[in-house]
Amino acid sequence: MTPSAAAPVAPAPARAYLRLLVAGFRQQSAYLAAAVGGLVANATFGFLKAAILLATLAAAGGTLGGYDTGTMLAYVWLSQAMLGLVNVYGRDVLAERIRSGDIAVDFLRPLDLQLAGLATFLGSRLFTLLPRGLPTLTVGLLTTGMALPRGVWPYLLGTLSVLLAMTLSYLCVYALSMSALWLVEIRGLQVAYMVVASFCCGLYIPVGLFPGWLETLARITPFPSTLMTPVEILSGYAAGTDALRLVAVQVLWISVVAAGGHLLTRAGRRHLEVQGG
């Protein structure tokens, strides 16, 4: 028997990341009751948010910042449906593993730590589409007059934008978590991140309704690309070249934040070794 036949063939890196994605999906499926609870919360707060924003529209004469009743309802229910897909809260298991010292084991694994975490994250969040994301959107479709675009293109581009938003949201939190290699305790930073990211991503009101200076400030951060961009594309608020430009901004932010996370990982690994961890 030849050596190649006797020894098991190591899985290719791409296959390993695919297995992590599947593992993340299966792991999240164990928390079905939590997902159903998230659905109830999403629907409840969706109705509350819709009532507040529709009252604001009525006070403004029916339109505000390019939004009418249909597009505002689309913003509400699309953003609520995406809550389970993106991480705007700044919390991740990686920070806890750094604090406990288990990160040393992760550094020994023959996989890129950032990509491995991303694969697991995407798998776990994709599962939430089934019991939480799609049902939330269905509630909005069946109970309100939300407006959605016609044709296939907005949904194809919007699906790509959702995947990019999920990726970017993880990469931002990954970079935040890696700071624990120097700070150890980052719960204060996580709270600050949650406040800034959830507001600037358009979770509470559309970014286009911010005062001019605040909208400019929000859009120079990556946070609108984690939620507002796919919502604007899927709702038809942004179309044509504007939609393509928003997706290009998402790709740019992913490149920048991923590179920053890679540099933090390399520097953190050296720091951990110097400290004897």
Side-chain angles (χ1 to χ4, degrees), residues 53-71:
L53 290 176
L54 290 182
T56 303
L57 276 183
T63 59
L64 181 64
Y67 286 90
D68 56 19
T69 299
T71 53

Side-chain angles (χ1 to χ4, degrees), residues 77-91:
W77 291 104
L78 285 168
S79 61
Q80 289 299 110
M82 282 192 61
L83 275 179
L85 299 180
V86 298
N87 185 349
V88 296
Y89 304 110
R91 297 187 297 272

Side-chain angles (χ1 to χ4, degrees), residues 6 9 212 238 256:
V9 179
V256 171

Side-chain angles (χ1 to χ4, degrees), residues 40 76 114 117 163 168 177 180 184 186 202-203 242:
V40 174
V76 169
Q114 186 170 222
L163 292 173
L168 180 58
S177 298
V184 181
I186 64 167
L203 177 59
D242 287 338

Side-chain angles (χ1 to χ4, degrees), residues 172-197:
C172 289
V173 175
Y174 176 88
L176 174 68
S177 298
M178 291 306 294
S179 68
L181 285 167
W182 290 269
L183 302 176
V184 181
E185 179 55 72
I186 64 167
R187 279 179 288 190
L189 282 179
Q190 289 172 327
V191 171
Y193 180 94
M194 177 180 66
V195 172
V196 175

Side-chain angles (χ1 to χ4, degrees), residues 54 57 66-79 137 140-151 154-155 230-238:
L54 290 182
L57 276 183
Y67 286 90
D68 56 19
T69 299
T71 53
M72 185 62 79
L73 287 171
Y75 154 76
V76 169
W77 291 104
L78 285 168
S79 61
L137 185 58
L141 287 169
L142 295 178
T143 61
T144 67
M146 58 183 292
L148 292 175
R150 296 180 179 179
Y155 301 104
V231 168
E232 289 181 338
I233 295 173
L234 287 170
S235 67
Y237 184 82

